[in-house]
Amino acid sequence: MNRSNPLGGGINSHKIFDEIISLENLFSAWREFRRGKRNKPDVQEFELNLEDNIFNLRRELEDKTYQHSPYASFYIKDPKLRNINKASVKDRLLHHAVFRKLYPIFDKTFIYDSYSCRIGKGTHKAVNRLEQFCRKLSKNNHHKIFALKCDIKKFFDSVNQEILLELIKKKISDESTFWFVEKIIKSFKSGLPLGNVTSQLFANIYLNELDQFIKNKFKIKYYLRYCDDFIILSRNKEYLLILIPFIQDFLQVNLRLSLHPDKIILRKYSQGFDFLGYVVLPHHRVLRTKTKRRILKRIKREKISEQNLQSYFGVLKHCNGYKIKQNLLNLL
């Protein structure tokens, strides 16, 4: 891919603009977007005049007359209450088209051990990697090890849009591409909306700054991040405690973020490292107690579909979950 002039430092992305608004990309983005949504009334309505709608969207992008529509806001329990902001079908189609072309550019700049919303990664890969780190650092349980686990307070609400745009501009220097990236980011009053596929990419771009700080400044080998949760392993408990104010300071000064004060947790391996719904222990892995209770409670309360039941069994196969599986079957 062509490079921009030396002063710009980013990728000369006029070619990317053409690729994003190409009919091939827009129709491919549509096929990806509609998966699992074909029964939704707004998706069906858009598909009735699909070609006209896609051609009109392309024309608006070419002419720079495109305007992002307002969001529809609603709440889901997952398990805590979350505010989801849903864009129109046309806007979500553009989000997918942008994501398809920008993801490969930014993904190669991310550290290996960032696991959220990345191809070939995910929660189970992250927990497997954590177990691998634990075995390696503890020399198969011959050494005591500790974990510092942190959570960023109200991350999606707290993302500074101007900082995010500056980070994107370092890589995407073309004004045409940057124009609709800015449209998407500024379409929400502040932070990032939960529900946009682009928000997942933007979150990783934003927190890649934290990843690079921890990996480059402190040369920390045993570090994992999944969205706004991250964990650092060390044999030295005091060293982990020393890191906390440095991380807090970096987040506040550079990203206008802060650590959740109630979610800064330091534990030893024998107590188990609680990460992404599982608890990793020296000789086995179990399901987090809260997760187990939530599954059992839902089974008791609702009529569970075969698909949901199989998804629960899928969660359980990644840990010592035989007894829980038997409990589920008995309840059913």
Side-chain angles (χ1 to χ4, degrees):
M1 192 170 287
N2 294 329
R3 299 284 170 184
S4 67
N5 65 60
L7 296 174
I11 292 173
N12 186 349
S13 48
H14 193 73
K15 183 182 174 187
I16 298 168
F17 175 77
D18 292 338
E19 288 176 358
I20 289 171
I21 71 167
S22 72
L23 291 174
E24 180 186 2
N25 186 51
L26 291 172
F27 276 101
S28 295
W30 172 256
R31 286 190 291 272
E32 290 173 8
F33 162 73
R34 73 178 179 181
R35 284 179 198 151
K37 304 183 187 76
R38 299 191 76 171
N39 293 329
K40 303 286 184 183
D42 54 350
V43 175
Q44 290 177 342
E45 184 182 350
F46 191 90
E47 197 161 31
L48 279 175
N49 298 295
L50 180 63
E51 289 191 3
D52 286 346
N53 287 329
I54 286 180
F55 274 92
N56 287 338
L57 173 59
R58 186 178 191 276
R59 194 175 303 113
E60 288 175 13
L61 295 170
E62 253 185 334
D63 299 344
K64 293 190 173 56
T65 56
Y66 166 79
Q67 295 294 330
H68 200 287
S69 303
Y71 289 86
S73 181
F74 58 94
Y75 289 87
I76 62 167
K77 204 166 183 182
D78 180 38
K80 63 183 179 182
L81 204 62
R82 293 182 186 275
N83 184 205
I84 303 297
N85 291 278
K86 183 180 174 184
S88 71
V89 172
K90 182 179 83 169
D91 295 326
R92 283 183 284 162
L93 168 58
L94 175 61
H95 299 168
H96 274 262
V98 169
F99 181 88
R100 295 183 85 250
K101 296 300 179 180
L102 294 194
Y103 173 86
I105 294 168
F106 284 97
D107 189 69
K108 65 182 72 170
T109 69
F110 300 153
I111 65 166
Y112 180 85
D113 287 308
S114 160
Y115 286 86
S116 174
C117 304
R118 295 180 67 195
I119 296 166
K121 302 286 184 175
T123 55
H124 296 132
K125 290 279 180 70
V127 178
N128 289 343
R129 182 72 161 166
L130 176 59
E131 280 192 334
Q132 182 188 339
F133 279 174
C134 291
R135 286 194 301 270
K136 200 167 182 180
L137 187 60
S138 69
K139 300 287 184 185
N140 289 325
N141 301 323
H142 285 89
H143 294 279
K144 284 185 180 179
I145 63 170
F146 302 88
L148 171 65
K149 182 174 175 286
C150 300
D151 182 293
I152 294 169
K153 187 177 180 182
K154 295 183 178 177
F155 169 66
F156 280 90
D157 291 337
S158 303
V159 167
N160 183 292
Q161 294 181 350
E162 297 305 324
I163 293 173
L164 174 60
L165 286 166
E166 285 302 313
L167 293 173
I168 292 170
K169 194 180 283 186
K170 287 179 183 178
K171 204 74 181 166
I172 304 296
S173 58
D174 174 68
E175 288 183 10
S176 296
T177 305
F178 194 77
W179 170 76
F180 56 63
V181 168
E182 187 173 23
K183 284 279 183 188
I184 292 170
I185 291 171
K186 294 284 191 179
S187 67
F188 201 60
K189 56 185 180 295
S190 65
L192 291 173
L194 284 171
N196 285 2
V197 68
T198 46
S199 292
Q200 301 165 4
L201 175 61
F202 296 153
N204 275 332
I205 292 170
Y206 206 74
L207 287 178
N208 184 52
E209 298 299 296
L210 172 66
D211 299 340
Q212 299 296 341
F213 171 72
I214 289 174
K215 297 293 283 184
N216 297 327
K217 173 75 174 176
F218 296 103
K219 310 298 180 189
I220 291 172
K221 186 175 180 182
Y222 301 105
Y223 166 80
L224 289 154
R225 182 178 62 79
Y226 187 94
C227 197
D228 56 344
D229 287 343
F230 62 91
I231 190 165
I232 303 170
L233 305 184
S234 176
R235 291 182 191 168
N236 189 328
K237 181 181 178 181
E238 286 68 34
Y239 177 67
L240 293 175
L241 288 169
I242 289 167
L243 286 176
I244 296 169
F246 285 101
I247 294 170
Q248 285 178 321
D249 185 61
F250 176 83
L251 287 170
Q252 287 168 359
V253 172
N254 293 275
L255 299 175
R256 306 291 189 268
L257 299 174
S258 58
L259 294 177
H260 197 302
D262 300 328
K263 295 182 180 179
I264 301 172
I265 299 164
L266 188 61
R267 291 173 71 88
K268 54 188 177 184
Y269 194 18
S270 58
Q271 294 175 300
F273 298 155
D274 186 335
F275 193 53
L276 303 178
Y278 296 97
V279 179
V280 174
L281 290 144
H283 300 289
H284 63 295
R285 182 197 305 180
V286 296
L287 200 63
R288 181 189 288 162
T289 303
K290 279 185 181 178
T291 308
K292 178 173 67 177
R293 285 176 183 161
R294 190 168 73 246
I295 291 173
L296 292 172
K297 186 178 178 181
R298 190 175 175 198
I299 290 282
K300 288 176 183 176
R301 190 179 67 238
E302 302 174 19
K303 185 178 179 182
I304 300 297
S305 67
E306 178 66 22
Q307 185 180 358
N308 282 341
L309 185 62
Q310 291 306 318
S311 72
Y312 290 149
F313 289 164
V315 168
L316 294 172
K317 78 178 182 180
H318 292 277
C319 64
N320 288 21
Y322 177 77
K323 287 185 179 178
I324 305 172
K325 185 174 181 180
Q326 291 307 307
N327 285 341
L328 289 180
L329 292 170
N330 290 337
L331 284 170
L332 290 167

